[in-house]
Amino acid sequence: MTNTQTWAPLEIEAKGEGGVDQLLVQIGQLEGGLADTLVREKGLVFRGFGITEDTLDKVLDHLLPSRLAYVHGNSPRTKVGGNVYTSTEYPQEFDISMHNEMSYAHAWPSRLAFFCQTQPGTGGATPVLDSAKWLAILDPEVREAFAGGVRYVQNLHDGYGLGKSWQDTFETSERADVETFLKGTGAEWQWRRDGSLRVESQRSSTTKHPVTGVEVWFNQADQWHPSGLGDDTAAELYSILSADELPQSVTFADGGEIPAEYVVQIRDRGLESAVNVDWRTGDLMLIDNVLLAHGRRSFTGDRRILVAMSD
């Protein structure tokens, strides 16, 4: 683990020959139990237990009592098992900025588990960041500007176009299923003549942890804003589509434009303050999704990380 910070996730090394049964034994020996330990430490990294894709289910059944589907997820990924997904399919030459999983949604997972099936050739760490620290390191001007919340907009195509389709996003081909889901989210939506779906959702920019009560930065404005993608990518998108046609975009809750310099500050300070968790094949990390944001460093080689989540 590369780390110049005073905080890092708790690393738990296998005793003896390791194995999944030994992992479960050591989890049972955690002071206060798994739930209390995770809140206290924010993240746990398990190394040397020899976890494989074949034994992953047994581990996840213990760590994630109620595994969730990635419904309404905006990141490109592939489902590989029982609510287990590739962590992302974003091009490997780019970093992925810090975020709390599905913080743009009406409900989000409380826990995330990352499993390293294949370690990267070089790079490829998963950076993690204390979400309360992220809030604290932003300029007061930025925090104040976001106090009223944000508004996310998704334009989901019908099978052909930029970004994700509504079928992939909601894991269904039935419009009625999508509408049933959206009715419980507080979102506004509209089906377009070309079969696409537009969804608008107003959300808070921060939240409080249900156990500790600590307030944390909790939104994905920098990932939904073109300026967070880098100048060249943003310029290319704007040359093809108007701001209202982008696959995803974000404004302040009142519809006001978010300044590009705010977006860059949020993205860059998050990445600069994060702690890198480096991967070896068979490693597994469990994080509290409210207390910790996560991202991805660029890499070479055949890195394959699987992810699962629970409420």
Side-chain angles (χ1 to χ4, degrees):
M1 184 176 299
T2 303
N3 176 26
T4 59
Q5 312 292 320
T6 58
W7 173 88
L10 176 66
E11 291 202 4
I12 300 174
E13 295 276 356
K15 298 176 181 177
E17 297 182 1
V20 172
D21 290 339
Q22 179 61 37
L23 171 61
L24 300 184
V25 168
Q26 289 184 227
I27 290 174
Q29 295 171 344
L30 293 172
E31 182 178 355
L34 177 62
D36 287 352
T37 303
L38 185 59
V39 170
R40 183 174 64 249
E41 302 291 344
K42 303 180 182 68
L44 309 173
V45 181
F46 300 93
R47 300 194 189 274
F49 291 93
I51 304 168
T52 67
E53 189 173 6
D54 291 337
T55 60
L56 181 60
D57 270 346
K58 185 175 182 179
V59 177
L60 294 180
D61 286 345
H62 191 80
L63 298 179
L64 306 177
S66 179
R67 258 182 274 169
L68 300 173
Y70 189 58
V71 175
H72 203 184
N74 71 321
S75 175
R77 59 184 71 194
T78 301
K79 193 171 187 176
V80 297
N83 289 342
V84 177
Y85 300 81
T86 56
S87 60
T88 185
E89 292 165 12
Y90 196 69
Q92 66 187 56
E93 62 267 28
F94 299 112
D95 286 347
I96 296 177
S97 60
M98 307 308 296
H99 60 285
N100 304 79
E101 197 66 41
M102 299 184 71
S103 57
Y104 54 84
H106 76 294
W108 48 80
S110 61
R111 295 180 183 179
L112 298 181
F114 301 87
F115 166 66
C116 180
Q117 184 179 9
T118 305
Q119 67 190 54
T122 63
T126 294
V128 290
L129 171 64
D130 185 326
S131 303
K133 178 178 180 180
W134 197 4
L135 176 63
I137 61 178
L138 298 176
D139 289 350
E141 177 185 355
V142 174
R143 297 198 299 268
E144 182 178 350
F146 276 86
V150 295
R151 188 170 187 84
Y152 299 103
V153 179
Q154 291 174 286
N155 289 304
L156 304 170
H157 62 77
D158 190 30
Y160 180 78
L162 292 174
K164 293 183 70 174
S165 69
W166 62 262
Q167 294 93 334
D168 287 341
T169 298
F170 295 99
E171 295 191 2
T172 181
S173 59
E174 300 295 329
R175 289 192 178 193
D177 293 341
V178 175
E179 293 182 4
T180 297
F181 177 87
L182 289 175
K183 285 176 182 177
T185 69
E188 301 171 3
W189 71 92
Q190 178 184 11
W191 295 102
R192 300 295 184 88
R193 288 184 178 181
D194 62 1
S196 65
L197 174 66
R198 181 180 176 88
V199 181
E200 299 188 31
S201 307
Q202 187 169 319
R203 307 292 182 216
S204 174
S205 61
T206 66
T207 194
K208 291 185 178 181
H209 190 270
V211 176
T212 69
V214 65
E215 185 177 14
V216 301
W217 186 250
F218 201 75
N219 67 81
Q220 286 177 236
D222 63 308
Q223 290 195 328
W224 286 57
H225 195 288
S227 296
L229 301 175
D231 292 342
D232 291 342
T233 304
E236 185 175 349
L237 279 174
Y238 275 121
S239 71
I240 300 171
L241 302 169
S242 69
D244 198 50
E245 295 172 324
L246 294 169
Q248 60 185 41
S249 59
V250 63
T251 65
F252 289 124
D254 63 3
E257 184 177 346
I258 299 174
E261 60 267 27
Y262 289 1
V263 173
V264 172
Q265 179 184 136
I266 293 164
R267 180 197 65 195
D268 290 353
R269 291 189 185 176
L271 281 168
E272 290 165 1
S273 301
V275 174
N276 286 342
V277 176
D278 296 313
W279 292 109
R280 297 192 297 269
T281 298
D283 289 347
L284 186 142
M285 177 169 63
L286 180 69
I287 68 171
D288 184 304
N289 185 45
V290 174
L291 295 176
L292 283 187
H294 66 280
R296 190 204 67 189
R297 303 296 184 184
S298 62
F299 67 95
T300 65
D302 298 324
R303 177 188 191 271
R304 183 174 171 86
I305 306 295
L306 303 182
V307 63
M309 58 196 78
S310 73
D311 53 17

